[in-house]
Amino acid sequence: MPLAASIMSLSHHTDHAPCGIGWRHPHYGELLESLPGLDFIEVHSENFFAEGGAGLAVLGQAREHYPVSLHGVGLGLGSACGIDAWHLDQLARLVERIEPVRVSDHACFARGTAAGCQIHAADLLPIAFNSATLDVMCANVQRVQDRLKRQLLVENLSAYLCFNSSDRDETTFLRELVQRTGCGLLVDVNNIYVNALNARLAGSMADPLAACLEWLDRIARGSVGELHLAGHRDNADIVIDDHGSRVCADVWEIYRHAQRRFGGVAALVEWDTDIPPLAVLLEEAARARNIATRMPQAVAA
């Protein structure tokens, strides 16, 4: 199929794995004018917390044409001080207004207390994989789900350090989180690869691609509600998850394995820095669609 035809063939029917793009400000107008055939769009929840204004109005227009996935970056689900009540209230109000197809945030912490004041790091900070952190995460995830009255998807993190206090691997931690709370997972395949590349730089002898496939095989099939694809930057001494380039060949291979294992899961292309023309994102989404459509759906425990 020619590339242009494959892009135009994207639509939001349900006879294939849904594929979408992260909708960012430079593409607001063009997407609403051209209405390309996407299954859904995803936005960062916090950008639409205002009572009104142009941003919320634009999102409302888009919602008339596309299902919307709300992807948060600020809940700090692993924060020991808990969830900020104001933040959760704004999210609940946005969910009620938009009626999103999915709601997600990250397995990270962001909030804490310093000098008697609550602070927010404005970053996705890594967590230790142990019982104490799991208890915190479970309590926070359950609070969000109770407030929203719906399942939350939790995304695995690209992390640039690990904690000596971890007593289990990431996949075990995530499986336990799902079992205890009933939440789902948003599996970012680029994040898995970035972590594997940095592990190799830190001295791991494991092949990064093989390590990523094994990571996926340790995740229960029925727990995954969405997949993320993105680009990253290799700085020689560290690999950064910058969402600033096309998806690389190895990440496409990891994505193929994920679709084989999880079977027809919604997929999203993220691009947040050096944002290209909308057509480039549509090309990436078309490739994700074509791969998912060709993958046999294999049931796995």
Side-chain angles (χ1 to χ4, degrees):
M1 179 184 296
L3 181 58
S6 68
I7 294 171
M8 293 307 295
S9 70
L10 292 173
S11 62
H12 33 90
H13 300 300
T14 57
D15 57 349
H16 53 259
C19 292
I21 63 170
W23 191 39
R24 305 299 181 248
H25 186 269
H27 299 145
Y28 281 4
E30 185 179 359
L31 182 132
L32 290 174
E33 290 172 6
S34 61
L35 296 178
L38 293 163
D39 295 303
F40 70 100
I41 58 173
E42 189 165 275
V43 298
H44 289 154
S45 307
E46 290 81 4
N47 290 339
F48 302 94
F49 277 2
E51 289 284 349
L56 196 59
V58 165
L59 182 59
Q61 292 177 45
R63 181 64 183 85
E64 295 175 3
H65 302 283
Y66 301 103
V68 173
S69 182
L70 293 178
H71 187 50
V73 296
L75 277 174
L77 294 168
S79 303
C81 61
I83 299 294
D84 178 77
W86 179 89
H87 190 118
L88 185 52
D89 283 346
Q90 306 316 302
L91 178 59
R93 185 178 62 181
L94 183 62
V95 166
E96 184 176 356
R97 286 175 171 172
I98 299 302
E99 297 181 335
V101 64
R102 285 173 294 278
V103 181
S104 57
D105 210 299
H106 298 77
C108 71
F109 83 94
R111 302 180 64 245
T113 303
C117 298
Q118 294 286 324
I119 60 172
H120 196 291
D123 205 346
L124 306 176
L125 302 176
I127 56 175
F129 301 126
N130 57 35
S131 295
T133 305
L134 182 61
D135 288 344
V136 167
M137 282 279 294
C138 288
N140 289 338
V141 166
Q142 195 61 61
R143 180 181 175 192
V144 173
Q145 293 184 141
D146 288 346
R147 181 70 173 82
L148 301 184
K149 297 181 175 60
R150 61 184 298 156
Q151 184 187 55
L152 180 70
L153 300 184
V154 179
E155 179 181 344
N156 57 295
L157 200 66
S158 53
Y160 305 106
L161 58 84
C162 57
F163 292 92
N164 291 332
S165 57
S166 292
D167 58 19
R168 65 204 71 184
D169 61 27
E170 182 179 29
T171 55
T172 299
F173 183 94
L174 293 174
R175 287 181 73 118
E176 291 172 332
L177 178 67
V178 169
Q179 290 167 0
R180 287 178 54 177
T181 67
C183 75
L185 297 179
L186 190 166
V187 171
D188 190 313
V189 296
N190 185 64
N191 287 356
I192 306 169
Y193 190 59
V194 166
N195 290 345
L197 291 176
N198 283 323
R200 182 174 63 180
L201 289 172
S204 171
M205 299 301 293
D207 174 72
L209 179 55
C212 293
L213 303 186
E214 291 170 5
W215 192 103
L216 292 171
D217 287 343
R218 293 193 294 268
I219 295 294
R221 179 183 186 270
S223 64
V224 178
E226 187 172 317
L227 300 170
H228 273 187
L229 291 153
H232 56 265
R233 186 174 74 249
D234 190 338
N235 292 334
D237 60 339
I238 190 172
V239 181
I240 302 295
D241 175 40
D242 69 342
H243 297 182
S245 58
R246 287 183 182 266
V247 179
C248 76
D250 277 357
V251 171
W252 281 122
E253 186 59 35
I254 299 164
Y255 170 70
R256 287 185 183 92
H257 189 79
Q259 286 290 14
R260 277 193 297 265
R261 175 161 179 81
F262 304 125
V265 176
L268 180 93
V269 176
E270 294 184 292
W271 207 311
D272 294 297
T273 61
D274 297 325
I275 296 177
L278 178 61
V280 175
L281 273 77
L282 297 179
E283 289 175 8
E284 297 286 89
R287 183 170 182 179
R289 159 73 62 72
N290 292 337
I291 289 171
T293 301
R294 291 195 300 268
M295 288 296 106
Q297 297 183 15
V299 177

